[in-house]
């Protein structure tokens, strides 16, 4: 076997951030895992090659496509081989070499070819060829069946797994996210976008959102849908037949005999109690005693859509066999739910079906949004405008559209977008369409195209309803050449707005001149959108002052206070976008908060003002650049932090009055001052009574007046202190316990000895906690563990319980989770408790897999039902 480090040398100088990463990578690789986020433009492939060279073991590199596989090979030959010809690589997984470049699909096909005992034969094959390093490029591309092969490979002892990605799949389902991170491991390091902008490898940029409302027909459909669900829920709460079945069921009437069942299905049991409480029933006191409560010790939440889903999912689907006696009341409910459309494919869904949200995502109102963005961009940038619009589908059925009546353009796609812009602006000659099967240009652009192709004739057909535009018949022999030439026309400005599909322009296509990207795509994950977004923010050697605008579209659900599914999807997408704040305080962070959008939406929200402001901000190129420069100077590293939001109804400033967590102190100060003024006033006013009635009676009256006058404020002061000040302080204490445990036990390869816990609070009340002077790997571990401790309680193996009477009466949380990784065995859980008791409080630890433990777990979950469907904390990435 050849010594790769002697044969393969990087020919050039490493960029500052690349060198910084390489300097620390040996620390990360100790646990045989390396998971790196490297945005487009950071040289991810070249870094991957350097890593496998330094590891120096036979390596299998897996890529999502043949194009990307070949890119690995070409980067190796171009940047590392020098004068010596290197032949120790292979592109064929069936004939591996010291470095083998292949695809996930090829690995899956190889596994399938083994037929019986495929797993054992695959492992034997890898061991036979002594493959000891596995490089996973963009592992989020994996299809479901491909995961199994990789999990099998991970079982090989001593195999080092290197994962490289530009975009972790944050907007996938929880199952998919967990699967991804269990394969790739926690994130060890991240090359930050600010580093690339600072180094001149990416251009300054800003994300914008253009909002629209659905068409009238869509609004009516949504309103009718919501009304049907509301009416159904009201009928469910009035369903005496169902209520009688439940209150006479064995698990409800004889809870002591059904403990195992109750603790096996805690969410269902909770939903039954919440349902019956909403129906007006005084909840069986025996049931509450089982949970450790008295009747006045529990605050019941409303029977929301979320609780309805749990309740009916269990009754109608998951536990139907356990409720045979309920069939006469369940059948009519089931029938009605299917008619409404909230029960499909054995899943209860009250929030809304995919058809409902697909309607919003695909709303034709977005066509007007696209036109306004394009028009405004052309007006402000003139000949320098270079706009790319990405859609999911071509929609060739709209090719025959004519005229200016755009109502018939009722779907989002390449052709409807093209037709809509022309219907609004018939004189526009700078549009172009480029997809794998459809190319449309203006006649004036065809002349230039022929010159680039060096041909005199090109088969074209006039396009109905689009004067001056023609279809270009693309012969297979010229397919790639025409795509390159159309791209050149875009570079040259003959085409200023290029419309294409995400599939065709989203991968492998490059045009550094893009300065405006419009994402009209809603199918699939945001990963591919981020790939295209990465191309839009690359620097352009011909335009060193390039500043890009990336536009996202959102159609708001008028019946949802949070804006609906489009907004939810955007919030998920923005978790992977690190950018500069749009207005106000200058900072760099991920998440949609940096755009400063309304927290609540309604029919009266003035979208036109928001959109005008977005368009104006998009044209302030110099401001965007200045904000990046100012923000970059404020920090030097991307820090992972945990944000705990201020979730009270009162604005933070009004509740606190002072900046630093002293709401309780403020109110207590009011009490003290009030009492100090009250005492002399009381004595002066009642001097005659003292002489007439005696001192004992006056003291009695004094304390009654004191309690009536200041008791409520005193109680409020205590509660504010515990709910606000204590939450902040306690989170810091929990952070200290987690940090000391990780550091002293060297658990999870945590080694940041010089790290310091830092906590900050902004003016809106949200506070954040993070580690300073820690590696990305250790910051990620710390934040993940901390988040798990304070997250809503689900089903942990171990619980930490504090029985403080005062806190329980004030509704303060007394239950916390021993994190999954720590709670794998009792020894580590008890060790964690030692650090918890040192820094937080004197809690005891409970194993939840016993009958008594299940009881405590259910009590813990039931005590904090208000947390059940709330995101009480969230991870963030901020430049500090």
């Amino acid at each position: 076997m050849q010594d790769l480090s002697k044969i393969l040398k990087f020919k050039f100088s490493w960029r500052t951030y690349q060198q910084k990463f390489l300097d620390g990578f040996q620390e990360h690789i100790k646990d045989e895992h390396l998971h790196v986020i490297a945005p487009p433009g950071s040289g991810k492939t070249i870094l991957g090659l350097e890593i496998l060279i330094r590891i120096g073991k036979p390596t299998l590199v897996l890529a999502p496509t043949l194009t990307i596989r070949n890119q690995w090979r070409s980067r190796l030959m171009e940047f590392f081989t020098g004068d010596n010809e290197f032949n120790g690589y292979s592109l064929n997984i069936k004939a591996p070499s010291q470095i083998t470049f292949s695809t996930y699909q090829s690995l899956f096909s190889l596994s399938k070819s083994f037929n019986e005992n495929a797993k054992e034969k695959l492992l034997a094959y890898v061991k036979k060829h002594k493959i000891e390093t596995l490089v996973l490029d963009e592992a989020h591309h994996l299809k479901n069946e491909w995961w199994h092969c990789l999990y099998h490979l991970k079982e090989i002892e001593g195999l080092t797994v290197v994962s490289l990605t530009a975009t972790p799949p944050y907007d996938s389902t929880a199952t998919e996210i967990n699967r991804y991170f269990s394969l790739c491991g926690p994130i060890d390091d991240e090359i930050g976008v600010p580093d690339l902008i600072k180094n001149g490898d990416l251009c300054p940029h800003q994300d914008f959102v253009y909002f629209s409302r659905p068409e009238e027909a869509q609004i009516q459909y949504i309103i009718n849908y919501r009304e049907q669900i509301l009416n159904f829920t009201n009928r469910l709460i009035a369903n005496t037949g169902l209520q009688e079945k439940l209150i006479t069921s064995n698990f409800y009437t004889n809870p002591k005999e059904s403990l195992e069942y109750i603790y096996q299905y805690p969410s269902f049991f909770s939903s039954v109690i919440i349902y019956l409480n909403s129906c007006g029933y005084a909840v069986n006191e025996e049931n509450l005693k089982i949970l450790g409560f008295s009747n006045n010790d529990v605050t019941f939440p409303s029977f929301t859509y979320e609780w309805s889903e749990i309740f009916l999912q269990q009754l109608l689907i998951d536990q139907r066999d356990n409720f045979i006696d309920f069939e006469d009341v369940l059948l009519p409910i089931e029938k009605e739910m299917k008619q409404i459309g909230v029960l499909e494919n054995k899943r209860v869904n009250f929030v809304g079906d995919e058809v409902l949200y697909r309607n919003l995502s695909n709303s034709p109102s977005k066509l007007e949004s696209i036109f306004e963005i394009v028009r405004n961009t052309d007006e402000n940038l003139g000949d320098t405008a270079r706009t790319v619009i990405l859609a999911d589908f071509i929609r060739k059925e709209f090719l025959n559209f004519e005229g200016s009546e755009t109502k018939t353009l009722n779907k989002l796609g390449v052709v409807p977008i093209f037709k809509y812009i022309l219907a609004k602006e018939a004189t526009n000659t700078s549009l172009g369409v480029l997809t794998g099967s459809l190319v449309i240009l203006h006649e004036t652009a065809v002349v230039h195209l022929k010159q680039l192709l060096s041909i005199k004739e090109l088969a074209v057909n006039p396009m109905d309803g689009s004067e001056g535009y023609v279809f270009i018949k693309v012969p297979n022999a010229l397919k790639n050449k025409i795509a390159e030439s159309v791209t050149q026309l875009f570079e040259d400005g003959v085409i200023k707005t290029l419309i294409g599909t995400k599939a065709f322009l989203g991968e492998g296509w490059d045009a550094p001149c893009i300065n405006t990207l419009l994402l009209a795509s809603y199918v699939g994950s945001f990963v591919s959108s981020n790939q295209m977004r990465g191309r839009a923010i690359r620097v352009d050697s011909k335009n060193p002052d390039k500043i890009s605008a990336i536009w996202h579209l959102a159609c708001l659900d008028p019946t949802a206070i949070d804006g609906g599914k489009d907004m939810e999807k955007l919030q998920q997408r923005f978790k992977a976008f690190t950018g500069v704040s749009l207005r106000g305080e200058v900072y760099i962070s991920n998440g949609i908060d940096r755009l400063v959008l309304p927290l609540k939406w309604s029919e009266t929200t003035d979208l036109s003002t928001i959109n005008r402001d977005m368009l104006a901000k998009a044209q302030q190129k110099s401001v965007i650049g200045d904000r990046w420069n100012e923000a970059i100077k404020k920090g030097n590293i991307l820090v992972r932090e945990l944000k705990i939001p201020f979730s009270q109804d009162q604005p933070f400033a009004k509740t606190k009055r002072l900046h630093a967590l002293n709401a309780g102190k403020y109110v207590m100060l009011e009490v003290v001052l009030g009492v100090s003024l009250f005492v002399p006033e009381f004595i002066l006013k009642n001097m005659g009574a003292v002489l007439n009635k005696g001192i004992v009676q006056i003291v009695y009256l004094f304390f009654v007046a004191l309690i009536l006058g200041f008791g409520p404020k005193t109680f409020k002061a205590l509660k504010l202190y515990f709910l606000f000040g204590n939450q902040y302080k306690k989170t810091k204490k929990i952070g200290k316990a987690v940090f000391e445990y990780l550091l002293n036990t060297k658990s999870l390869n945590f080694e940041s000895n010089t790290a310091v816990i830092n906590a900050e609070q902004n003016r809106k009340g949200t506070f954040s906690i993070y580690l300073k002077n820690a590696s990305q790997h250790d910051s990620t571990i710390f934040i993940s563990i901390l988040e798990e401790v304070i997250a809503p309680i689900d089903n942990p193996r171990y619980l930490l319980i504090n029985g403080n009477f005062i806190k329980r009466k004030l509704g303060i949380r007394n239950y916390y989770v021993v994190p999954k990784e720590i709670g794998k065995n009792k020894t580590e859980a008890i060790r964690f408790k030692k650090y918890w008791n040192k820094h937080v409080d004197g809690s005891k630890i409970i194993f939840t897999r016993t009958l008594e433990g299940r009881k405590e777990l259910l009590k813990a979950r039931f005590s904090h039902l208000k947390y059940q469907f709330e995101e009480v904390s969230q991870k963030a990435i901020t430049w500090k």
Side-chain angles (χ1 to χ4, degrees):
M1 187 175 73
Q2 304 176 77
D3 186 343
L4 294 179
S5 63
K6 291 181 179 178
I7 303 168
L8 301 172
K9 299 278 187 183
F10 184 59
K11 296 179 184 179
F12 307 98
S13 298
W14 293 110
R15 299 167 186 168
T16 307
Y17 54 84
Q18 291 174 330
Q19 187 63 58
K20 184 179 174 183
F21 162 72
L22 290 170
D23 288 343
F25 108 93
Q26 286 290 0
E27 285 296 310
H28 299 316
I29 210 78
K30 283 181 179 178
D31 61 351
E32 297 177 341
H33 265 95
L34 179 62
H35 186 184
V36 183
I37 300 175
S42 60
K44 174 168 60 75
T45 305
I46 294 170
L47 279 173
L49 287 165
E50 179 68 16
I51 289 166
L52 67 87
I53 290 167
R54 293 192 182 192
I55 294 173
K57 299 174 183 177
T59 301
L60 173 62
V61 178
L62 295 172
T65 64
L66 288 172
T67 303
I68 297 175
R69 180 205 68 176
N70 294 338
Q71 195 178 81
W72 276 85
R73 189 266 313 270
S74 63
R75 294 286 191 274
L76 174 70
M77 306 309 290
E78 184 180 351
F79 290 94
F80 290 90
T81 53
D83 298 330
N84 298 322
E85 184 65 29
F86 176 70
N87 55 14
Y89 74 88
S90 170
L91 296 178
N92 184 0
I93 197 171
K94 294 182 178 179
S97 186
Q98 194 160 356
I99 303 175
T100 305
F101 302 112
S102 189
T103 63
Y104 294 110
Q105 189 171 8
S106 296
L107 177 68
F108 178 65
S109 298
L110 176 67
S111 178
K112 279 184 69 178
S113 70
F114 292 132
N115 297 320
E116 292 183 10
N117 301 320
K119 174 185 174 181
E120 290 74 15
K121 290 178 180 177
L122 177 64
L123 297 185
Y125 181 86
V126 170
K127 290 175 183 176
K128 174 187 172 184
H129 292 283
K130 298 180 180 178
I131 294 171
E132 296 180 53
T133 302
L134 181 66
V135 177
L136 307 176
D137 189 15
E138 304 291 6
H140 51 255
H141 277 284
L142 295 182
K143 292 183 179 178
N144 286 337
E145 62 267 23
W146 297 354
W147 288 97
H148 302 296
C149 301
L150 295 169
Y151 277 128
H152 297 337
L153 294 186
K154 278 196 69 172
E155 294 178 17
I156 298 174
E157 191 173 346
L159 183 75
T160 299
V161 180
V162 177
S163 303
L164 304 168
T165 185
T167 317
Y170 292 120
D171 72 338
S172 300
T173 64
T175 302
E176 289 168 338
I177 293 172
N178 290 335
R179 185 173 63 179
Y180 171 82
F181 281 104
S182 65
L183 174 67
C184 300
I187 295 166
D188 289 290
D189 211 342
E190 178 170 4
I191 295 175
V193 168
D195 281 317
L196 275 76
I197 292 176
K198 184 179 180 180
N199 206 61
D201 297 310
L202 290 181
C203 72
H205 55 277
Q206 183 59 276
D207 291 281
F208 300 94
V209 183
Y210 200 98
F211 296 96
S212 64
R213 287 195 170 91
E215 302 288 308
E216 191 59 40
Q218 286 181 301
I219 293 174
Q220 200 54 52
Y221 174 80
I222 294 168
I223 290 172
N224 290 341
Y225 181 82
R226 297 281 184 233
E227 284 180 350
Q228 284 180 301
I229 293 175
L230 181 62
N231 292 334
F232 168 79
T233 304
N234 290 337
R235 285 193 292 273
L236 189 68
I237 290 175
N239 192 325
T240 55
L242 178 60
Q243 294 158 22
E244 287 171 7
K245 292 278 188 184
L246 287 170
I247 61 174
T248 56
S249 60
N250 193 56
F251 76 90
Y252 189 81
T253 55
N254 301 302
K256 287 183 179 179
E257 297 174 11
S258 308
L259 286 180
E260 195 166 337
Y261 174 79
I262 290 170
Y263 300 149
Q264 186 180 356
Y265 301 103
S267 293
F268 173 60
F269 184 65
S270 300
S271 71
V272 170
I273 290 178
I274 292 164
Y275 168 70
L276 290 173
N277 180 71
S278 296
C279 296
Y281 282 84
V283 176
N284 187 331
E285 190 172 347
E286 193 65 33
N287 280 313
L288 293 176
K289 283 182 179 178
I290 289 290
L291 302 176
F293 297 107
S294 61
N295 274 333
N296 60 358
D297 204 20
V298 183
T299 302
F300 290 97
S302 302
F303 189 58
T304 59
Y305 286 161
E306 292 91 347
W307 285 114
S308 301
E309 285 180 6
I310 292 171
F311 178 62
L312 292 169
Q313 180 72 34
Q314 296 294 323
L315 278 177
L316 296 173
I317 310 296
D318 297 351
Q319 293 189 58
R320 190 71 171 255
D321 292 343
N322 292 335
F323 294 95
I324 297 296
D325 296 340
F326 283 49
E327 280 300 308
D328 58 325
V329 293
L330 292 183
L331 281 172
I333 293 172
E334 181 181 37
K335 182 179 179 182
E336 186 177 358
M337 289 173 68
K338 285 182 177 178
Q339 288 173 342
I340 297 171
V342 294
L343 177 57
E344 291 182 352
N345 300 319
K346 295 188 175 182
R347 179 172 173 260
V348 177
N349 181 2
F350 281 106
V351 179
D353 63 1
E354 280 305 310
V355 175
L356 178 72
Y357 291 125
R358 183 65 58 88
N359 271 341
L360 283 179
S361 300
N362 194 28
S363 173
S365 67
K366 290 185 177 181
L367 292 170
E368 178 63 21
S369 301
I370 293 167
F371 169 71
E372 287 297 334
I373 295 167
V374 170
R375 183 182 62 80
N376 190 269
T377 301
D378 286 347
E379 283 180 2
N380 285 277
L381 297 185
D383 292 337
T384 64
R386 298 291 185 275
T387 303
V388 169
I389 304 172
L390 284 183
D392 292 300
F393 306 110
I394 298 176
R395 308 282 191 200
K396 290 183 180 178
E397 64 268 29
F398 293 96
L399 282 170
N400 295 325
F401 170 83
E402 296 185 41
S404 58
E405 186 52 60
T406 57
K407 284 188 178 180
T408 55
L409 296 172
N410 57 5
K411 289 183 179 178
L412 206 57
V414 172
V415 175
I417 292 168
F418 171 77
K419 290 283 189 177
Y420 192 95
I421 294 173
L422 275 183
K424 292 279 188 174
E425 201 173 51
T427 58
N428 193 330
T429 62
S430 60
L431 297 177
V433 168
L434 178 60
T435 74
S437 61
L438 184 66
V439 177
I440 301 172
L441 296 177
H442 194 267
E443 291 169 336
T444 54
V446 174
V447 176
H448 297 281
L449 181 64
K450 288 177 184 177
Q451 292 173 351
L452 290 173
L453 292 171
S454 300
I455 58 176
K456 292 183 179 180
E457 295 298 327
L458 189 63
V460 298
N461 281 336
M463 191 173 184
D464 293 341
S466 304
E467 190 175 343
Y469 281 88
V470 296
F471 296 111
I472 296 173
K473 294 182 180 178
V474 183
N476 287 333
L478 287 177
K479 192 170 184 179
N480 291 335
K481 185 67 176 172
I482 285 181
E484 291 172 7
S485 298
V486 171
T487 303
Q488 187 60 54
L489 294 179
F490 181 61
E491 292 265 2
D492 295 341
V494 176
I495 300 169
K496 290 199 300 180
T497 302
L498 188 60
I499 309 163
T501 53
K502 178 186 67 178
F504 192 72
L505 299 182
E507 186 177 292
W509 182 78
D510 203 11
C513 63
I514 302 169
N515 53 32
T516 304
L517 175 65
L518 218 158
L519 296 171
S521 167
Y522 64 89
V523 172
S525 74
F526 73 114
V527 169
S528 53
S529 298
N530 200 33
Q531 296 291 321
M532 192 61 218
R533 183 178 178 275
R535 286 175 173 78
I537 63 180
R538 283 185 178 169
V539 291
D540 182 5
S541 58
K542 298 175 184 177
N543 179 15
D545 298 323
K546 172 184 166 182
I547 294 175
S548 285
I550 299 104
W551 285 93
H552 309 262
L553 306 176
C555 184
L556 298 177
D557 180 346
T559 65
I561 197 168
D562 62 358
K565 198 71 172 183
D566 250 17
M567 276 303 298
E568 180 188 317
K569 211 59 169 162
L570 273 186
Q571 288 169 342
Q572 290 174 333
R573 289 183 174 191
F574 269 75
K575 287 180 182 178
F577 301 158
T578 302
V580 70
S581 55
L582 182 63
R583 56 171 68 85
E585 182 187 355
V586 178
Y587 64 91
I588 296 169
S589 181
N590 70 332
I592 205 166
D593 288 352
R594 61 186 173 86
L595 297 190
V596 197
L597 298 172
L599 297 176
K600 296 179 180 179
W601 302 87
S602 69
E603 290 183 24
T604 59
T605 303
D606 189 355
L607 297 188
S608 60
T609 299
I610 296 172
N611 289 335
R612 280 197 303 271
D613 179 61
M614 287 281 178
L615 289 170
K617 288 278 195 293
Q619 306 315 326
Q620 296 169 1
K621 302 291 188 183
S622 60
V623 174
I624 295 171
D626 291 343
R627 289 183 74 84
W628 270 105
N629 292 333
E630 184 182 343
I632 287 171
K633 289 176 184 175
K634 288 185 174 182
N636 55 28
I637 191 172
L638 283 175
V639 171
R640 281 180 159 70
E641 60 184 1
L642 193 67
K643 286 187 176 181
I644 294 90
F646 177 77
S647 57
Q648 303 303 304
D649 292 333
Q650 283 277 357
F652 175 73
K654 286 186 180 179
T655 306
K656 299 286 184 169
R657 299 291 178 93
L658 305 173
H659 287 304
L661 289 172
N662 44 14
K665 293 178 186 176
Y666 173 80
V667 179
M668 188 57 80
L669 184 63
E670 277 191 330
V671 172
V672 173
L673 288 173
V675 169
S676 63
L677 293 172
F678 169 78
V679 172
E681 185 181 353
F682 181 86
I683 292 172
L684 287 173
K685 282 185 176 180
N686 295 278
M687 186 61 73
V690 170
L691 297 173
N692 295 327
K693 296 185 178 180
I695 192 70
V696 174
Q697 195 168 353
I698 291 303
V699 169
Y700 173 77
L701 287 172
F702 171 77
F703 279 109
V704 169
L706 200 64
I707 291 168
L708 290 175
F710 296 99
K713 277 199 171 183
T714 304
F715 179 79
K716 180 184 177 185
L718 287 170
K719 190 157 187 174
L720 282 172
Y721 172 75
F722 281 115
L723 285 177
F724 301 129
N726 200 50
Q727 183 191 34
Y728 177 78
K729 291 176 182 176
K730 188 159 191 174
T731 303
K732 284 187 71 174
K733 290 177 181 178
I734 294 171
K736 287 180 181 177
V738 169
F739 173 68
E740 206 166 296
Y741 167 82
L742 291 171
L743 188 62
N744 292 340
T745 63
K746 302 297 180 187
S747 180
L748 304 173
N749 298 290
F750 188 95
E751 295 183 347
S752 294
N753 297 310
T754 60
V756 178
I757 295 174
N758 205 41
E760 299 171 353
Q761 188 160 34
N762 66 24
R763 282 170 289 184
K764 292 183 179 178
T766 295
F767 66 86
S768 60
I769 185 167
Y770 61 94
L771 285 184
K772 290 178 69 175
N773 307 325
S775 67
Q776 289 284 0
H777 170 271
D778 289 356
S779 289
T780 302
I781 293 296
F782 172 77
I783 291 302
S784 296
I785 293 292
L786 183 60
E787 181 187 40
E788 201 175 339
V789 172
I790 66 177
I793 294 167
D794 185 25
N795 191 26
R797 285 171 58 84
Y798 289 95
L799 274 177
L800 290 161
I801 303 174
N802 184 286
N804 186 294
F805 174 79
I806 295 174
K807 289 184 180 180
R808 190 170 68 248
K809 286 298 177 185
L810 289 172
I812 308 303
R813 183 173 182 172
N814 290 304
Y815 296 90
Y816 289 87
V817 172
V818 175
K820 185 179 179 181
E821 283 296 321
I822 297 172
K824 282 182 176 178
N825 63 70
K826 187 176 181 180
T827 304
E828 286 305 306
I830 291 173
R831 190 178 296 177
F832 180 71
K833 172 181 170 286
K834 181 183 81 172
Y835 293 103
W836 180 275
N837 289 353
K838 176 183 175 182
H839 292 287
V840 185
D841 57 37
S843 294
K844 63 180 181 178
I845 196 166
I846 295 287
F847 182 57
T848 64
R849 298 304 187 254
T850 64
L851 198 58
E852 188 62 30
R854 284 285 178 191
K855 177 179 177 179
E856 285 293 345
L857 177 59
L858 185 55
K859 182 179 177 182
R861 294 179 70 178
F862 205 78
S863 293
H864 302 285
L865 290 174
K866 62 181 178 180
Y867 295 120
Q868 187 83 19
F869 304 110
E870 291 180 17
E871 189 175 33
V872 294
S873 64
Q874 59 186 28
K875 294 177 185 175
I877 303 170
T878 308
W879 181 255
K880 292 183 183 290

